[in-house]
């Protein structure tokens, strides 16, 4: 098995800052948040990571075993195990990230190393973890000393079921929205997994593929659709389960293309980004284009006055958006500051443009 911590890439070669501290890389329109996040994390209440506690980052699940002065995290995804890393206290509520073996059983042990995807081993000393309570939520925040938040772990008391539920919630967030078809008929998918489908209301569910929730939406009347979201809307393709292959396949039915309804008087496209701590499992489902809007919507809620024409036009449609004169007066909540950095990190590493 391969041990794993987080996926990430920290390349700032294309990032520049103007005199006001604003950055232009990745079409960043808000001030840099590193100091804001640093303050939010450092001022938050420290928590104790307990033996046998459980954590997830929306993609992976971990259980903790205390081994001397090292907190050994081991677990995996809903599909496979073999993921692990260690935290060693450094003082001041901070932890060094260290390698650990995945399992005490020698036959199951992986090499005690950290496979960090786009990180080289030289990057590991640049990572710092902190265990905090942010706005009532126990979490572990992993930050790169130069590039900010790269992962957030949330405490859960439901072991693997907690990760499963988190993935389903994130998927529901991904397809949530008010839509119209080409004839102007109304459709909606809501975060609570209710829907409006051509005038009919009900509750939908996600089917499974290989024991994991998948973007196969089943409506109350038994219709099945492959749901594919993008920045402009949602495509629903009729689907059926193939007993022979054990997979959900497209049928000969015609795909239904739904277009997002523009923001209205009180609507924000991504309200969850200001209300709860996000994890990698939340943000990885969105394209680079969507993530940019999501991140800047956080600032728009506080009246940030944008320079980019496309963002000005987009948020001008939202009556709740009230631009202010001095962007230095914009104050994000602790949750928003951390989410903003995590979203920006995902923008940097995403290969999904649309």
């Amino acid at each position: 098995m391969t041990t794993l911590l987080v996926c990430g890439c920290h390349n700032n070669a294309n990032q520049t800052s103007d005199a006001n501290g604003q950055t232009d890389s990745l079409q960043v329109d808000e001030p840099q948040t590193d100091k804001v996040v640093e303050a939010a994390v450092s001022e938050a209440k420290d928590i104790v990571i307990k033996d046998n506690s459980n954590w997830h980052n929306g993609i992976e699940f971990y259980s903790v075993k205390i081994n001397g002065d090292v907190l050994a995290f081991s677990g995996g995804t809903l599909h496979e195990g073999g993921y692990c890393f260690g935290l060693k206290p450094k003082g001041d509520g901070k932890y060094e990230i260290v390698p650990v073996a995945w399992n005490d059983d020698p036959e199951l042990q992986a090499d005690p190393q950290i496979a960090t995807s786009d990180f080289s081993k030289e990057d590991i000393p640049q990572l710092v973890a902190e265990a905090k309570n942010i706005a009532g939520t126990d979490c572990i925040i992993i930050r790169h000393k130069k590039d900010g938040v790269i992962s957030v772990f949330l405490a859960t008391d439901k072991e693997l079921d907690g990760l499963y539920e988190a993935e389903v919630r994130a998927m529901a967030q991904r397809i949530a929205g008010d839509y119209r078809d080409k004839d102007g008929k109304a459709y909606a998918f809501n975060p609570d997994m209710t829907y409006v489908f051509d005038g009919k209301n009900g509750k939908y569910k996600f089917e499974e593929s290989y024991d994991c929730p998948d973007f196969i939406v089943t409506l109350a009347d038994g219709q099945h659709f492959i749901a594919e979201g993008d920045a402009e809307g949602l495509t629903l393709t009729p689907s059926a389960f193939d007993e022979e292959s054990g997979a959900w396949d497209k049928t000969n039915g015609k795909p239904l293309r739904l277009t997002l309804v523009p923001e209205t008087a009180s609507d924000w496209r991504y309200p969850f980004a200001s209300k709860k701590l996000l994890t990698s499992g939340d943000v990885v489902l969105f394209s680079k284009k969507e993530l940019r809007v999501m991140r800047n919507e956080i600032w728009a809620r506080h009246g940030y006055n944008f320079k980019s024409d496309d963002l000005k036009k987009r948020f001008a449609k939202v009556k709740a958006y009230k631009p202010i004169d001095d962007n230095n007066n914009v104050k994000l909540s602790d949750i928003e500051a951390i989410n903003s950095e995590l979203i920006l990190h995902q923008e940097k590493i995403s290969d999904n443009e649309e």
Side-chain angles (χ1 to χ4, degrees), residues 156-174:
T156 176
D157 59 359
K158 296 183 179 181
E159 300 185 349
L160 276 174
D161 288 342
L163 174 58
Y164 191 100
E165 292 176 4
E167 290 194 10
V168 169
R169 286 195 299 271
M171 292 166 65
Q173 286 175 176
R174 177 65 185 86

Side-chain angles (χ1 to χ4, degrees), residues 133-179:
N133 184 284
I134 305 290
T137 299
D138 286 351
C139 60
I140 299 171
I141 297 172
I142 297 181
R143 302 174 65 218
H144 189 279
K145 292 179 181 178
K146 293 182 179 179
D147 298 323
V149 177
I150 55 104
S151 193
V152 175
F153 290 85
L154 303 181
T156 176
D157 59 359
K158 296 183 179 181
E159 300 185 349
L160 276 174
D161 288 342
L163 174 58
Y164 191 100
E165 292 176 4
E167 290 194 10
V168 169
R169 286 195 299 271
M171 292 166 65
Q173 286 175 176
R174 177 65 185 86
I175 68 171
D178 294 320
Y179 303 93

Side-chain angles (χ1 to χ4, degrees), residues 30-48:
E30 84 283 10
Q32 295 190 52
T33 59
D34 54 348
K35 297 300 182 184
V36 177
V37 175
E38 186 175 348
V41 174
S42 63
E43 293 175 7
K45 180 182 177 182
D46 289 344
I47 62 170
V48 176

Side-chain angles (χ1 to χ4, degrees), residues 85-189:
F85 65 96
L87 297 183
K88 185 175 182 179
K90 295 179 61 178
D92 297 327
K94 295 181 173 61
Y95 297 81
E96 176 186 2
I97 295 171
V98 297
V100 295
W102 180 65
N103 193 291
D104 292 334
D105 187 338
E107 293 184 0
L108 296 177
Q109 280 189 14
D111 292 335
Q113 63 181 358
I114 301 176
T116 54
S117 184
D118 295 317
F119 287 115
S120 66
K121 287 189 176 181
E122 289 71 27
D123 284 308
I124 301 302
Q126 299 298 314
L127 301 179
V128 176
E130 299 181 69
K132 299 288 183 177
N133 184 284
I134 305 290
T137 299
D138 286 351
C139 60
I140 299 171
I141 297 172
I142 297 181
R143 302 174 65 218
H144 189 279
K145 292 179 181 178
K146 293 182 179 179
D147 298 323
V149 177
I150 55 104
S151 193
V152 175
F153 290 85
L154 303 181
T156 176
D157 59 359
K158 296 183 179 181
E159 300 185 349
L160 276 174
D161 288 342
L163 174 58
Y164 191 100
E165 292 176 4
E167 290 194 10
V168 169
R169 286 195 299 271
M171 292 166 65
Q173 286 175 176
R174 177 65 185 86
I175 68 171
D178 294 320
Y179 303 93
R180 294 285 187 273
D181 66 10
K182 63 182 180 61
D183 298 318
K185 294 180 181 178
Y187 296 77
F189 286 90

